[in-house]
Amino acid sequence: MPSVARPKPKAVAIDDKIRTVIFDLDGTIYDKRGLAARMVSRLWWCLPLLMAERFARRNAHYVQFASEEEFFDFFFVTMARGHWWGPRIAEKWYHLVYLPTMVRLIRRYHRIRPEARTLLRLCRKRGLQTAIYSDYGSVIEKLEALNIEYAQFDLLVSAPQLGALKPSEPSARRVLELLQADPKTTLFVGDRDDKDGATARAVGAEFLLIN
Ligand SMILES: [Mg+2]
């Protein structure tokens, strides 16, 4: 039987001057292809809420809120606008249905990307500081679902915790501050140039695109 050649993961490297590596999570640490379609097929019974979540997320882009509480107040009010449900139902659905479903699907169908595995190994070998900076919540749950030891990271943070989705210069500066990192020796790693790349550029840090 002919053997099927597996595509080799692309070589990834980190410049010697880099001391801190900040990873995006979804699409960067794991390949998220197929996840959106799976979410729709699992949550077809609440499709209007799923669409309202997309709508609220789009509306929250490029808005800086003073706190996580303000971010989610806006988010759930926007999700409820023009619908029969109120913000509190949107909030319950988001935390009790939407995020747990995403975590379950990641556990079942998704794996760590080879490039991410290589980069994480390289960071450990060189003793670099690492962080996860994600636009979504449930960071620990997703890392556990992917069998990734979350305690290896120096910081786990979601964009809403900092009051704004990516790209946000104040939030990126806050992440650097929490890590006591210099942007000149920091590398952002992500699958979206318009989000992760723009975040890196906003603070003058380097960016590595994984896609
Ligand atoms: Mg991503």
Side-chain angles (χ1 to χ4, degrees):
M1 215 167 85
S3 65
V4 180
R6 276 195 193 172
K8 270 192 181 170
K10 273 189 213 152
V12 281
I14 300 176
D15 197 297
D16 282 344
K17 70 172 190 194
I18 297 300
R19 304 259 51 93
T20 304
V21 183
I22 301 173
F23 292 88
D24 165 55
L25 176 51
D26 303 274
T28 301
I29 294 288
Y30 68 95
D31 188 342
K32 69 171 185 184
R33 274 176 300 180
L35 182 59
R38 288 187 187 107
M39 286 291 282
V40 171
S41 78
R42 290 305 146 97
L43 299 179
W44 59 270
W45 57 274
C46 53
L47 205 55
L49 274 157
L50 205 56
M51 288 164 74
E53 193 278 338
R54 291 283 97 191
F55 176 74
R57 194 165 280 275
R58 275 200 304 278
N59 273 266
H61 270 137
Y62 304 107
V63 187
Q64 184 75 45
F65 299 91
S67 63
E68 181 178 19
E69 200 183 350
E70 273 190 24
F71 174 90
F72 277 123
D73 279 349
F74 170 88
F75 194 79
F76 296 129
V77 165
T78 307
M79 272 187 73
R81 198 181 301 150
H83 294 288
W84 62 263
W85 59 80
R88 295 290 74 86
I89 287 182
E91 183 177 6
K92 277 197 169 175
W93 174 85
Y94 184 78
H95 290 297
L96 300 178
V97 178
Y98 177 78
L99 285 178
T101 301
M102 197 188 275
V103 171
R104 270 199 303 278
L105 290 173
I106 291 170
R107 177 173 290 116
R108 179 146 185 210
Y109 296 104
H110 297 262
R111 299 291 172 264
I112 183 169
R113 291 181 77 136
E115 301 94 327
R117 191 194 301 277
T118 306
L119 281 173
L120 285 171
R121 269 196 202 132
L122 201 55
C123 290
R124 271 198 301 273
K125 204 169 135 195
R126 288 201 200 161
L128 305 183
Q129 182 169 231
T130 54
I132 296 277
Y133 173 30
S134 169
D135 247 356
Y136 290 80
S138 298
V139 173
I140 290 180
E141 291 82 352
K142 286 181 186 178
L143 290 173
E144 282 181 336
L146 291 159
N147 258 322
I148 298 172
E149 179 55 67
Y150 67 83
Q152 72 181 288
F153 297 96
D154 297 278
L155 177 72
L156 302 172
V157 68
S158 72
Q161 285 178 299
L162 304 173
L165 297 176
K166 296 178 197 172
S168 154
E169 186 187 339
S171 295
R173 293 222 176 274
R174 183 75 185 125
V175 173
L176 292 174
E177 199 180 293
L178 289 167
L179 290 162
Q180 298 187 317
D182 181 344
K184 291 192 206 80
T185 59
T186 297
L187 173 72
F188 282 77
V189 180
D191 65 317
R192 295 272 304 256
D193 184 68
D194 60 332
K195 290 173 186 269
D196 310 303
T199 301
R201 287 189 287 277
V203 292
E206 286 203 14
F207 175 57
L208 174 66
L209 181 71
I210 285 192
N211 67 6

